[in-house]
Amino acid sequence: MPFNISDIRADFPILSQTIYKRPLIYFDNAATTQKPVQVIRAISNYYEQDNCNIHRGVHYLSVKATEAFEEARNEIREFINAHATHEVVFTKGASESLNLVASSFGKKFLKPGDEVITTIMEHHSNFVPWQMICEEKGAVLKVAGILPDGQLDLEHLYSLISDRTRIIALTHVSNVLGTINPVKEIIAHAHSKGIPVLIDGAQGVSHIPVDVTDLDCDFYCFSGHKMYGPMGIGVLYGKERWLEELPPYQTGGEMVKDVTVERTTFNELPFKFEAGTPNVEGVIGLRAANQYLRNLGMDNIRAYEDELLKHAVERFSAIEDMRFYGTAPEKASLVSFLVGDIHPFDAGTIIDKMGIAVRTGHHCAQPLIDHFGIPGTVRASFAFYNTIEEIDKLAEAVKRVKTMFK
Ligand code: PLP
């Protein structure tokens, strides 16, 4: 065991409660993770001592808040190993980061007949923005398929590339299947043909060490709330040359350099993409979450979550009639399943009554769920504060579901 689980659990007050007279078991971490006291305190300290609008202020509080905000940006840069702090743009979440790139990239670079490639395993947040901008620009959205075990079909993906391909946008880790895509290899292949690659890292950063310089991705997007930080804050990493070229996504205060009645010039990076008062408390909380993850060590987190996943697969495979979705060899710590023909909502409702939070439905990945021809799945997604014993309790709950529907 790389770290002490009871110490870790003590940092997450929400986990110590009972629901339906049972200890809460939280397996909905892919939807949002819980927050350690370090994050909660950082936010309340900020409001008790430092709250102020940032940038341009000459007074003490404004300077202090601005410094904390910009230090946080630098720590996020270090966390993902970006070259420069101005390549780290704060947004309100992965969805906004993805919408920003689709909209700004599309406006500047997509022409009728151009092509964008994505995959069937995308979350709607990395699918719909591309679908919409392609429609607006008369471009074509091409969708790479998957293999039966939930791995991306690389041969299919590569066969879709043509001289009209302008960008490839794909997820690092599937929120339904858990598949970890070989993004480094895909990026190298795309770059050999001069095509930039966007990675949706919403399910990546909390589970695996991410190094954007090593990956050489052009854009990498993620949310704070899925990495133990607050909601309403996210990050867009973009290579300087792309961020320089893209037009602003939103306009307003802070993102401008000079405004006259006739025209406006825009601020330098990253402020060109940060219109209006930013979510300062979100950035402060994200910084605390990031420090928490660094203290644990992303390699330790990965190793422990792999143990959880291995145990879950062993336990659940022993239950008759379990149907698994996503069994790729490279997988993050989640299991998506159906119990025989039992509707996922029914299964999820019974599991909930046993004190266990799982997510049911299409997980905002309808094209993927349609591909399987099912109504959805039950998804149990694990975090480093979960335990082997909790997984055993879920296995018991699944057996209970089976008995009830017999
Ligand atoms: N991408 C993936 C793979 C996700 O799992 C999610 C959320 O579940 C998102 C994007 C969107 O994240 P958010 O809702 O935080 O913007």
Side-chain angles (χ1 to χ4, degrees), residues 105-393:
F105 186 96
K107 266 188 202 144
K108 176 95 188 233
F109 295 110
L110 289 184
K111 307 252 170 335
D114 282 348
E115 295 166 0
V116 172
I117 299 178
T118 187
T119 84
I120 193 77
M121 67 166 84
E122 300 308 311
H123 186 280
H124 295 159
S125 293
N126 194 33
F127 198 86
V128 182
W130 295 109
Q131 205 172 42
M132 287 184 68
I133 195 73
C134 283
E135 209 175 289
E136 192 183 317
K137 291 289 174 174
V140 180
L141 184 63
K142 290 177 153 183
V143 182
I146 54 170
L147 301 174
D149 66 357
Q151 288 188 76
L152 188 58
D153 185 344
L154 286 186
E155 235 175 81
H156 185 222
L157 173 70
Y158 294 159
S159 75
L160 296 179
I161 294 175
S162 79
D163 57 4
R164 298 303 303 264
T165 308
R166 296 292 168 255
I167 189 165
I168 298 177
L170 85 159
T171 193
H172 198 169
V173 177
S174 158
N175 66 314
V176 179
L177 307 167
T179 309
I180 301 175
N181 285 320
V183 289
K184 190 172 173 181
E185 176 190 331
I186 295 167
I187 291 162
H189 185 87
H191 284 177
S192 72
K193 299 182 181 304
I195 301 164
V197 181
L198 168 145
I199 304 295
D200 172 1
Q203 300 291 343
V205 278
S206 56
H207 297 294
I208 43 185
V210 170
D211 181 329
V212 293
T213 300
D214 179 55
L215 290 178
D216 200 24
C217 54
D218 300 279
F219 302 101
Y220 195 96
C221 307
F222 55 98
S223 292
H225 72 97
K226 292 184 198 285
M227 53 176 285
Y228 310 91
M231 291 189 176
I233 188 70
V235 171
L236 163 66
Y237 157 78
K239 277 186 185 163
E240 180 185 297
R241 71 157 272 233
W242 286 112
L243 293 182
E244 286 291 2
E245 284 205 57
L246 297 192
Y249 177 55
Q250 291 178 335
T251 56
E254 191 63 28
M255 54 76 66
V256 292
K257 188 180 267 168
D258 198 39
V259 183
T260 64
V261 173
E262 290 75 30
R263 67 187 297 269
T264 296
T265 53
F266 302 121
N267 205 343
E268 63 202 19
L269 294 176
F271 310 113
K272 181 174 101 175
F273 293 107
E274 292 179 353
T277 299
N279 179 357
V280 183
E281 70 161 88
V283 169
I284 300 295
L286 179 62
R287 179 189 193 185
N290 182 244
Q291 288 168 352
Y292 193 89
L293 289 179
R294 281 189 195 204
N295 284 342
L296 290 184
M298 289 310 298
D299 287 318
N300 291 333
I301 290 173
R302 175 105 204 256
Y304 178 65
E305 290 184 351
D306 274 351
E307 276 178 44
L308 293 178
L309 177 65
K310 195 162 156 263
H311 184 75
V313 170
E314 268 167 30
R315 282 301 306 260
F316 300 161
S317 305
I319 304 171
E320 220 185 312
D321 293 337
M322 288 289 275
R323 292 153 58 191
F324 293 101
Y325 296 88
T327 53
E330 284 296 310
K331 211 183 128 138
S333 58
L334 69 82
V335 278
S336 253
F337 60 90
L338 287 175
V339 191
D341 291 328
I342 301 166
H343 196 283
F345 291 157
D346 294 334
T349 306
I350 296 167
I351 292 170
D352 170 60
K353 293 293 176 290
M354 298 183 72
I356 306 173
V358 289
R359 189 146 293 250
T360 57
H362 58 51
H363 315 298
C364 298
Q366 255 181 295
L368 178 65
I369 296 296
D370 289 349
H371 163 86
F372 287 118
I374 53 176
T377 72
V378 180
R379 180 185 71 189
S381 50
F382 312 125
F384 54 72
Y385 43 59
N386 290 127
T387 64
I388 297 280
E389 293 72 34
E390 288 181 322
I391 289 173
D392 289 342
K393 287 197 181 139

